[in-house]
Amino acid sequence: EDSIKKFIKADARPDMVQIGNELNGGFMWPLGKTWKSKTDTDVGGMDGFIKLLKSAAAGVRSAQGKGDKIKIVIHLANGGDNTLYNNMFGPITQAKVDFDVIGLSFYTYWHGSLADLKANLTDLSKKYKKELAVVETAYGFTEDDGDAQGNNFMVYSDDNNGYIASVQGQATAVRDIIATVSSVPGGVGVFYWEPDWIPVKGAGWRNGEGDNWENQAMFDFTGKALPSLAVFNLIYGK
């Protein structure tokens, strides 16, 4: 609540606020952890998780004041996994958690085919009547490594999941994901992560380490914008 009020005071009022990131197993462990391992003595479970979600949502609503409604996003990873999404959003909606958008991470080299994504989005749209957005996606413009850290990106030769690791391949992957989201009722958009994480000193995963995401940025290793960045305008014919 305090953070959003500071944004508003600084004339940077957000249109959307995501309460948590990739919440497959809950958040704020152990209070909001949804599953229990052999070493856990006590976790909040789904009830604890939902209680925290309601508190976070209430904070957003309190901060928004009398202005336009700030849309609240609840975000999971594994955007092609329909079972996961129903297991989480079934209890969340049954408990009447206040939110507006189902956010999904979807990386073609981790989370399945575009057909999996579309099937999941279609089912979620019918069941939960919420807006839908892919809030994380990326693809490599090269297989090269810009530093000594190593990279997450994997290339598949699979016809359904694979794109050439090139500037054009990156643009095509983004275009296809945008087309998939826009084809589903309630599909509202796609966010790219992380487009400007280039290999420069001090911008690694943590102090003293490099970046394992730079070959999926939309800028080259020197910071020059790649032609693939234009995909966000070109889909509108601009």
Side-chain angles (χ1 to χ4, degrees), residues 151-170:
N151 290 321
N152 286 338
F153 177 67
M154 294 175 284
V155 181
Y156 289 135
S157 60
D158 184 318
D159 288 340
N160 291 321
N161 302 340
Y163 297 83
I164 295 172
S166 66
V167 173
Q168 181 61 63
Q170 183 183 65

Side-chain angles (χ1 to χ4, degrees), residues 81-96:
D81 187 345
N82 184 243
T83 299
L84 166 69
Y85 278 73
N86 280 307
N87 285 345
M88 296 299 283
F89 282 102
I92 286 170
T93 55
Q94 188 174 8
K96 296 184 173 15

Side-chain angles (χ1 to χ4, degrees), residues 175-193:
R175 182 199 65 194
D176 289 352
I177 291 169
I178 291 172
T180 301
V181 174
S182 65
S183 71
V184 175
V188 295
V190 173
F191 295 82
Y192 195 93
W193 195 92

